[in-house]
């Protein structure tokens, strides 16, 4: 491939208009503006809307407050700062919506009954003795086994293992079943027996190596947090959304972009062309690019890369995916007066239910429904309840209402419901995932990049971060000096 000549225009094609592709386009635009570069960006999305799995629906009512329903993620975590920083750069601070932390309580289904997760459990580790000792969630023998974490020698290497292997080794099988599997694997819609620890929760290995024990490490973290001064300038809560839903972030990014943004246009193939690339588009046109960012599912990237590098395509195809779905139901508050008081219910796989988890949206967030109404969001599919995903809409509603009746005493007929199905949308980070990703990145055709949820983090902050790092790498590889980085990350 030819080396970019100083002062020459740099043509970048970004394939995929989800949060990763939008962020990459934004960061390229910011680099262009800050350094007076000559970068031509084309953003291509085959669907008729931007945002990927971020989709917000408003259901109007007679009052001022509509129902706000999320089809995909309902918030982002601020402990990973990148999405929060991006929103700040976009001037969205006055639109942040924090969680109602005074009502924060997570329940775990235990033998068919919701039980509160004991106070002081951080991730999967108890940090307060009395609430944990009195909780019926874990048996007496299970509690003794978890306490053995204080005495079990730490693993010192950086080799990968499954989440199940790690939790069983440190805390025992009951902790895996009742806490780690529904909480940690639930985030990734993954199977704990396949889920890579180093790709999903590397912090656990870091804590183990540094403190010799998860319990000691979490106690140290809790103590450090308590001593840290609060200046009032940080995020309003650990998880944050926006007042009109997560789609606000997509809409703000879209409104800021001055790139050539094309909806309803797919890339059919990529060919090398005179030191650059030619992208054949579904509208019959051809796009010339000096660099390409593939912010699409890995199996889509595999099909596009295959003519350029069959070996890379084979590795991309090895990243597994599962399909998931959500159904949100609206009720009058008076009709569901006996709901549990908390953010929601997680369901261990061992309970063998047709659903995976329940979020009480209107407890977790304000401004999600008119006064005296409730939104309940149910998760299904993945590796834990794939049969539920295949039901037709009417059958799905019947099954979900039956589950809510049995588990949460919800017998009322919903005012309405909304179903979202996400086919092959959740990448699985199996053991060895990071090594595979590193090999893919090292073998990619020159000036072609893969980035986003299939690779180094599935959450919105992870995708924003990967987009920024990809832009930085792209510009450096194209001999563009980044004397002023795109951001402080």
């Amino acid at each position: 491939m030819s080396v970019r000549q100083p002062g020459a225009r740099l043509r970048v094609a970004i394939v995929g208009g989800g949060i990763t592709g939008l962020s990459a386009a934004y960061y390229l635009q910011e680099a262009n503006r800050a350094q007076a570069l000559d970068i031509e960006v084309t953003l291509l999305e085959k669907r008729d809307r931007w945002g990927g799995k971020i989709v917000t629906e408003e259901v109007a009512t007679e009052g001022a407050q509509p129902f706000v329903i999320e089809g995909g993620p309902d918030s982002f975590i601020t402990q990973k700062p990148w999405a929060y920083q991006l929103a700040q750069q976009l001037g969205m601070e006055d639109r942040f919506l924090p969680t109602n932390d005074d009502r924060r309580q997570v329940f775990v289904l235990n033998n068919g009954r919701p039980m509160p997760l004991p106070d002081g459990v951080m991730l999967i580790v108890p940090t307060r003795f009395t609430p944990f000792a009195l909780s019926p969630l874990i048996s007496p023998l299970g509690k003794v086994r978890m306490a053995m974490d204080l005495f079990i020698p730490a693993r010192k290497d950086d080799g990968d293992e499954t989440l199940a292997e790690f939790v069983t080794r440190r805390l025992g099988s009951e902790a895996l079943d009742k806490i780690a599997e529904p909480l940690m694997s639930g985030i990734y819609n993954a199977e704990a027996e396949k889920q890579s620890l180093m790709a999903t929760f590397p912090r656990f290995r870091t804590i183990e190596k540094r403190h010799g024990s998860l319990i000691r490490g979490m106690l140290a973290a809790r103590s450090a947090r308590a001593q840290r001064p609060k200046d009032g300038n940080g995020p309003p809560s650990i998880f944050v959304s926006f007042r009109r839903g997560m789609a606000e972030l997509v809409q703000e990014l879209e409104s800021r972009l001055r790139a050539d943004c094309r909806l309803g246009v797919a890339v059919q193939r990529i060919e090398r062309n005179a030191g650059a690339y030619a992208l054949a588009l579904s509208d019959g046109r051809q796009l010339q690019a000096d660099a390409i960012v593939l912010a699409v599912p890995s199996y889509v990237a595999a099909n596009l890369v295959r003519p350029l590098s069959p070996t890379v395509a084979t590795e991309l195809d090895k990243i597994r995916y599962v399909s998931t779905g959500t159904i949100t139901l609206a009720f009058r508050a008076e009709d569901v007066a006996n709901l549990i008081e908390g953010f929601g219910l997680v369901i261990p796989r061992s309970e063998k239910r047709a659903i995976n988890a329940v979020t009480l949206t209107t407890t977790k967030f304000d401004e999600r429904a008119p006064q005296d109404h409730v939104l309940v969001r149910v998760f299904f599919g993945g590796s834990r309840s794939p049969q539920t995903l295949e039901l037709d809409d009417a059958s799905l509603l019947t099954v979900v209402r039956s589950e809510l009746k049995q588990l949460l005493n919800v017998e009322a007929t919903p005012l309405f419901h909304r179903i979202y199905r996400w086919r092959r949308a959740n990448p699985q980070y199996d053991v060895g995932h990071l090594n595979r990703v590193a090999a893919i990145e090292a073998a990619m055709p020159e000036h072609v990049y893969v980035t986003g949820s299939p690779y180094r983090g599935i959450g919105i902050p992870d995708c924003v971060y990967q987009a920024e790092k990809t832009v930085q790498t792209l510009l450096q590889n194209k001999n563009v000096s980044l004397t002023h980085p795109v951001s402080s990350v």
Side-chain angles (χ1 to χ4, degrees):
M1 303 288 287
S2 61
V3 176
R4 175 180 178 271
Q5 298 300 316
R9 171 167 293 184
L10 175 61
R11 302 164 299 177
V12 181
I14 301 173
V15 185
I19 190 62
T20 309
L22 288 166
S23 299
Y26 174 76
Y27 287 128
L28 275 167
Q29 179 173 290
E30 288 300 285
N32 203 25
R33 179 189 58 80
Q35 301 182 64
L37 305 173
D38 189 4
I39 304 176
E40 180 181 277
V41 178
T42 304
L43 177 61
L44 305 167
E45 168 56 51
K46 71 175 183 179
R47 285 180 281 197
D48 61 358
R49 65 171 183 86
W50 304 109
K53 292 193 287 292
I54 298 177
V55 55
T56 303
E57 180 180 355
E58 289 192 358
V59 178
T61 64
E62 294 180 357
Q65 174 62 55
F67 290 95
V68 178
I69 297 170
E70 302 287 12
D74 68 358
S75 57
F76 59 85
I77 191 168
T78 57
Q79 290 175 325
K80 294 181 175 182
W82 309 296
Y84 184 74
Q85 290 173 351
L86 174 60
Q88 286 181 310
Q89 291 173 34
L90 296 170
M92 302 182 69
E93 292 93 336
D94 62 340
R95 290 184 262 172
F96 286 144
L97 181 67
T99 52
N100 294 319
D101 288 350
D102 59 325
R103 305 174 71 184
R104 177 185 295 276
Q105 176 66 72
V106 175
F107 288 77
V108 180
L109 194 68
N110 187 29
N111 296 320
R113 295 176 51 216
M115 290 188 177
L117 193 68
D119 288 342
V121 172
M122 295 176 61
L123 295 178
I124 57 173
V125 180
T127 62
R128 294 179 59 192
F129 175 76
T130 301
F132 181 71
L134 296 177
S135 171
L137 180 61
I138 302 293
S139 71
L141 283 177
K143 292 170 185 175
V144 170
R145 175 61 185 87
M146 291 181 72
M148 291 299 294
D149 169 72
L150 292 165
F151 309 101
I152 293 172
R155 179 174 172 176
K156 297 295 187 180
D157 63 87
D158 291 323
D160 205 358
E161 62 185 317
T162 68
L163 179 70
E165 289 169 338
F166 176 83
V167 174
T168 303
R169 176 168 60 81
R170 297 257 25 126
L171 301 170
S173 58
E174 199 171 344
L176 172 67
D177 177 41
K178 298 300 183 184
I179 302 178
E181 190 274 331
L183 287 175
M184 303 293 98
S185 290
I187 294 172
Y188 287 85
N189 289 291
E191 300 164 74
E193 294 79 13
K194 296 181 179 179
Q195 182 178 348
S196 163
L197 179 77
M198 299 305 288
T200 57
F201 295 102
R203 180 185 175 194
F204 288 154
R205 178 65 61 74
T206 301
I207 291 171
E208 179 185 26
K209 291 169 65 176
R210 183 174 300 165
H211 299 276
S213 155
L214 290 181
I215 295 175
R216 278 195 293 269
M218 288 300 183
L219 288 172
R222 181 182 172 192
S223 176
R225 238 188 337 266
Q227 297 173 17
R228 193 177 302 136
K230 297 181 179 180
D231 58 11
N233 295 323
S237 60
I238 295 177
F239 289 92
V240 167
S241 186
F242 300 94
R243 299 198 178 279
R244 300 299 292 268
M246 287 302 301
E248 281 202 70
L249 180 60
V250 172
Q251 293 159 3
E252 189 64 33
L253 277 169
E254 178 193 354
S255 71
R256 298 293 187 96
L257 291 179
R258 300 296 176 263
D260 179 6
C261 300
R262 308 183 195 178
L263 286 173
V265 179
V267 178
Q268 296 182 323
R269 66 182 180 277
I270 300 173
E271 299 174 348
R272 295 186 188 271
N273 182 27
Y277 292 100
L279 289 74
L281 307 181
S282 59
D283 61 5
R285 290 189 285 180
Q286 190 176 80
L287 178 67
Q288 303 296 319
D290 302 301
I292 302 173
V293 175
L294 298 176
V296 291
S298 58
Y299 52 86
V300 176
N303 289 334
L304 294 176
V305 168
R306 200 175 316 277
L308 306 174
S309 176
T311 301
V312 169
T314 298
E315 291 303 307
L316 286 166
D317 274 331
K318 290 179 182 177
I319 298 175
R320 291 192 305 119
Y321 278 74
V322 297
S323 302
T324 60
T326 69
I327 176 170
T328 296
L329 306 98
F331 299 94
R332 293 183 182 89
E334 62 186 19
D335 294 338
V336 290
N338 295 323
L339 270 176
I340 55 177
E341 291 292 330
F343 281 9
L345 172 71
V346 296
I347 302 174
R349 188 173 56 186
S350 61
E351 293 285 327
K352 296 181 171 60
R353 308 302 305 198
I355 61 176
N356 302 339
V358 179
T359 294
L360 306 183
T361 302
T362 39
T363 301
K364 186 176 180 180
F365 292 105
D366 292 333
E367 303 183 36
R368 287 295 178 259
Q371 189 174 7
D372 299 325
H373 288 76
V374 170
L375 282 179
V376 177
R377 191 182 192 208
V378 176
F379 298 78
F380 58 91
S383 60
R384 304 166 81 201
S385 58
Q387 73 285 353
T388 307
L389 189 86
E390 301 308 320
L391 297 173
D392 60 52
D393 288 359
S395 299
L396 173 65
L397 180 61
T398 298
V399 167
V400 167
R401 289 190 61 193
S402 174
E403 291 288 310
L404 291 177
K405 179 180 178 180
Q406 294 176 54
L407 304 181
L408 298 178
N409 299 314
V410 174
E411 299 189 48
T413 301
L415 300 175
F416 65 86
H417 67 277
R418 292 292 186 271
I419 298 171
Y420 288 88
R421 286 182 170 87
W422 300 103
R423 301 282 182 181
R424 289 189 77 188
N426 294 81
Q428 301 294 283
Y429 289 9
D430 294 341
V431 166
H433 178 79
L434 291 181
N435 288 337
R436 171 168 290 130
V437 170
I440 288 170
E441 292 171 340
M444 285 296 294
E446 189 178 19
H447 305 310
V448 179
Y449 305 87
V450 289
T451 189
S453 65
Y455 308 106
R456 298 186 180 274
I458 64 169
I460 292 174
D462 298 299
C463 291
V464 170
Y465 178 68
Q466 291 178 79
E468 181 175 29
K469 301 305 287 186
T470 299
V471 165
Q472 292 178 358
T473 302
L474 183 159
L475 294 178
Q476 289 165 356
N477 288 347
K478 276 295 185 179
N479 297 330
V480 176
S481 175
L482 280 175
T483 54
H484 302 286
V486 175
S487 81
S488 59
V489 176

